[in-house]
Amino acid sequence: MGYTSSSGGGIRGSEILPFTVQVVKGRWFTVFASFLIMTGAGATYLFGIYSKQIKASLGYDQSTLNLLGFFKDFGANIGVLSGLIAEVTPTWFVLIIGALMNFAGYFMIWLAVTGKISRPRVWHMCIYICAGANSQNFANTGALVTCVKNFPEGRGILLGLLKGFVGLSGAVMTQLYLAIYGTDAKSLILLIAWLPAALSIVFVYTIRILHTARQPNEVRVFYHFLYVSIVLALFLMVMTLLEKTVTFSKGAYAASATVSWFMLFVPLLIAIRQEAALWNLKKKAAFARDEVPVENPPEIQQKKLPSPAPSPPQSQPPEDEKHTSCFADICNKPPRGEDYTILQALLSWDMGILFLATLFGLGGSLTAVDNLGQIGESLGYPTKTISTFVSLVSIWNYFGRVFSGFVSETLMLKYKVPRPLMMTFVLLLSCVGHLLIAFPGPGAVYVASIIIGFSFGAQLPLLFAIISELFGLKYYSTLFNCGQLASPLGSYILNVKVTGWLYDREAIKDLAKKGLTRSSVKELTCIGTHCYKLPFIILAAGTLFGALVSLILVVRTREFYSGDIYKKFRDDPMVTDMIEPENLKVKDKEPEK
């Protein structure tokens, strides 16, 4: 039996194979495959679960563990190499490099923690976790940049969705590891090693830039993807809360993981539906061309693509054929929204302001996420509850990403609200989360996990969308990776030099009160509300400064965002006036009138 689309047409049995080829080669399948790759690209957010295993197995103090956390953040946010590689190599090559780095880095960490190799030095572990975390930049560059270039008018929404699936990654992989390995946190590291690499390799040839006609109902389709992802996020949140109060059997964990992964494949059905609509549109167009006499073709001509503009004189080559160096005209910057060269963008005031806001915003949020396991431990929460905090951060990370993507896009298009203004509001919200940890009350860490997860997730889609809008898409592979360079620097300053040092100082004070010294204990641990009070007051103050800095960018870009920033994409000849599937029957009946 053939597939019947919403347009009323059908796909006969003899057409199933060519239709399947169209689906796999289509833009919508690229979006689905990107969702799965992004679901495996959030392993860095699980550090809070397995960091205690590293600390206990290798005998690290908190400063050493925070140093590992810094190299994780450093690797996760130094994506310039992947961006530059993507400028000169095909997408499949970028994804394969990322898969190899992911497996090699995390597999070596698993070998070290399980004692299957001799205890590595600290700098060895730093290299392993940096390489493993850096692999997610190759996944981001391959999938995210490709989707933005395939759907330029919906970039804010699409960035929110893609980064939202990264936010859900931690909760999804937690369900899977509980189903496969039980509560063995060491095995979680092994799962992180093989699963993301496998996803990238399976879909490596389906992620590519496609120059095909765009559809008028794309935003509506993105909303369908959103509804599916919201259901998945709510399911994961319910399961996380149930696992906190109810002891699950391995079969129950397996059922939960199965439902989670089934829902991850629902977007494939949406992609098939869209391709079926396109398939039937093509068949109707071909039938119309065969039926209309050649001597009287005016009605069909009205539905054809507009005639291409005449070619410019040979002495003046087309604009897209001019190969200008990305390092040329550093000081002669184009207007906002046009294609900047790499150095023009990096040396602009707008990028400098974004860098400073990101330094404190993402740097502070990363510090909170990385220390969540130790925060729960210091306040006396059991290990199972600490895993709940991490899962809550992961889930609300998702909500922050899709919220910032969809809402900022709507506010910008309908009300001309500058996208950087939402960045300001998100940073102010993050300050509240930091203060809840500095002054914890009953249930405060639960609320703080939600706020920090939401605000942390919201920042990345906003940052990536602002960069694409201000500096163009020509060198987007490199520029969006350069844009997050401030994040690891902020993490090093705020996590290693401030939070880790102050935590260890409080722990040593506690030992002194007991008449002990640092050499008396293998693991340096601080228990009490005082352990993280001062560090998170400092984080809140730094994030507030970042919010004030982002207001400067709001003022600078207000005029730019008051215009139609997507006009040039609608003027692109690749945008066709295609008939919506729901209107096909109406269009078919018009000649009978």
Side-chain angles (χ1 to χ4, degrees), residues 280-534:
N280 287 296
L281 282 171
K282 291 177 182 178
K283 288 204 302 183
K284 283 180 176 288
F287 178 77
R289 283 196 299 269
D290 293 338
E291 289 293 317
V292 175
V294 176
E295 62 270 16
N296 188 23
E299 292 185 4
I300 296 300
Q301 290 293 333
Q302 292 176 2
K303 294 182 182 180
K304 287 186 177 181
L305 293 177
S307 300
S311 300
Q314 293 295 326
S315 58
Q316 187 177 358
E319 188 66 26
D320 57 355
E321 292 183 6
K322 296 179 181 178
H323 299 287
T324 304
S325 168
C326 61
F327 301 107
D329 300 325
I330 295 176
C331 297
N332 186 23
K333 297 181 177 64
R336 290 189 181 96
E338 298 301 321
D339 291 326
Y340 279 55
T341 66
I342 294 175
L343 287 185
Q344 281 176 342
L346 295 181
L347 298 178
S348 67
W349 282 105
D350 291 344
M351 185 66 86
I353 293 170
L354 274 174
F355 183 90
L356 198 56
T358 305
L359 179 77
F360 290 99
L362 281 176
S365 297
L366 278 171
T367 299
V369 171
D370 287 347
N371 285 274
L372 203 53
Q374 281 68 46
I375 291 170
E377 183 185 31
S378 69
L379 296 177
Y381 289 100
T383 302
K384 197 172 184 180
T385 303
I386 293 172
S387 297
T388 301
F389 295 152
V390 176
S391 293
L392 284 174
V393 166
S394 178
I395 293 166
W396 283 92
N397 193 332
Y398 155 80
F399 282 117
R401 293 176 186 218
V402 297
F403 178 86
S404 66
F406 279 80
V407 174
S408 67
E409 191 84 3
T410 302
L411 293 177
M412 183 186 70
L413 294 178
K414 288 190 175 181
Y415 306 106
K416 306 301 181 184
V417 176
R419 209 185 293 267
L421 185 59
M422 179 163 278
M423 176 76 83
T424 303
F425 290 139
V426 166
L427 292 178
L428 291 175
L429 180 63
S430 184
C431 293
V432 177
H434 295 325
L435 290 175
L436 284 173
I437 293 178
F439 303 98
V445 182
Y446 289 97
V447 180
S449 298
I450 292 172
I451 292 176
I452 290 172
F454 182 89
S455 58
F456 178 47
Q459 291 175 58
L460 282 173
L462 292 172
L463 174 66
F464 294 160
I466 291 169
I467 289 173
S468 73
E469 290 159 357
L470 298 184
F471 308 118
L473 294 177
K474 187 174 183 180
Y475 296 106
Y476 187 53
S477 295
T478 301
L479 291 179
F480 100 91
N481 281 305
C482 290
Q484 55 182 353
L485 286 175
S487 181
L489 178 60
S491 175
Y492 179 75
I493 295 172
L494 298 174
N495 194 3
V496 179
K497 294 299 182 182
V498 175
T499 304
W501 182 78
L502 290 174
Y503 176 95
D504 285 343
R505 189 184 69 172
E506 295 298 326
I508 291 173
K509 286 181 180 179
D510 289 348
L511 286 176
K513 292 178 182 178
K514 299 176 183 177
L516 301 174
T517 62
R518 173 65 184 93
S519 58
S520 305
V521 294
K522 179 181 178 181
E523 182 181 349
L524 191 58
T525 303
C526 178
I527 303 296
T529 59
H530 61 286
C531 300
Y532 282 100
K533 183 174 184 179
L534 181 57

Side-chain angles (χ1 to χ4, degrees), residues 104-345:
Y106 286 111
F107 187 66
M108 291 302 297
I109 294 174
W110 177 75
L111 292 176
V113 171
T114 55
K116 297 184 182 299
I117 59 174
S118 58
R119 177 179 172 178
R121 297 183 180 181
V122 173
W123 68 269
H124 290 162
M125 291 292 290
C126 290
I127 291 176
Y128 299 154
I129 201 166
C130 183
N134 190 248
S135 67
Q136 79 177 40
N137 291 298
F138 288 84
N140 276 334
T141 303
L144 187 148
V145 175
T146 298
C147 286
V148 167
K149 291 187 176 182
N150 284 341
F151 298 90
E153 291 181 65
R155 70 186 71 175
I157 294 174
L158 195 51
L159 283 168
L161 274 172
L162 288 167
K163 298 304 290 184
F165 276 94
V166 178
L168 288 178
S169 177
V172 171
M173 284 202 280
T174 297
Q175 295 298 315
L176 191 61
Y177 115 83
L178 289 172
I180 298 175
Y181 302 111
T183 56
D184 180 13
K186 294 179 181 179
S187 296
L188 175 61
I189 305 173
L190 180 61
L191 178 69
I192 292 170
W194 67 262
L195 179 61
L199 289 172
S200 291
I201 290 174
V202 168
F203 295 105
V204 67
Y205 288 116
T206 63
I207 308 293
R208 64 201 185 284
I209 297 172
L210 298 170
H211 299 288
T212 57
R214 295 197 283 275
Q215 297 170 264
N217 65 336
E218 288 177 355
V219 172
R220 186 182 62 193
V221 180
F222 291 148
Y223 272 94
H224 294 167
F225 288 137
L226 172 66
Y227 301 147
V228 173
S229 64
I230 287 176
V231 172
L232 174 60
L234 292 175
F235 171 77
L236 291 170
M237 185 166 64
V238 170
M239 292 305 301
T240 299
L241 295 176
L242 285 176
E243 288 164 4
K244 174 181 176 294
T245 57
V246 179
T247 301
F248 275 41
S249 64
K250 194 166 185 178
Y253 283 129
S256 174
T258 301
V259 173
S260 300
W261 281 90
F262 171 78
M263 295 181 68
L264 284 173
F265 278 82
V266 173
L268 176 59
L269 303 180
I270 299 174
I272 293 174
R273 183 196 65 191
Q274 289 305 115
E275 293 296 338
L278 287 173
W279 179 271
N280 287 296
L281 282 171
K282 291 177 182 178
K283 288 204 302 183
K284 283 180 176 288
F287 178 77
R289 283 196 299 269
D290 293 338
E291 289 293 317
V292 175
V294 176
E295 62 270 16
N296 188 23
E299 292 185 4
I300 296 300
Q301 290 293 333
Q302 292 176 2
K303 294 182 182 180
K304 287 186 177 181
L305 293 177
S307 300
S311 300
Q314 293 295 326
S315 58
Q316 187 177 358
E319 188 66 26
D320 57 355
E321 292 183 6
K322 296 179 181 178
H323 299 287
T324 304
S325 168
C326 61
F327 301 107
D329 300 325
I330 295 176
C331 297
N332 186 23
K333 297 181 177 64
R336 290 189 181 96
E338 298 301 321
D339 291 326
Y340 279 55
T341 66
I342 294 175
L343 287 185
Q344 281 176 342

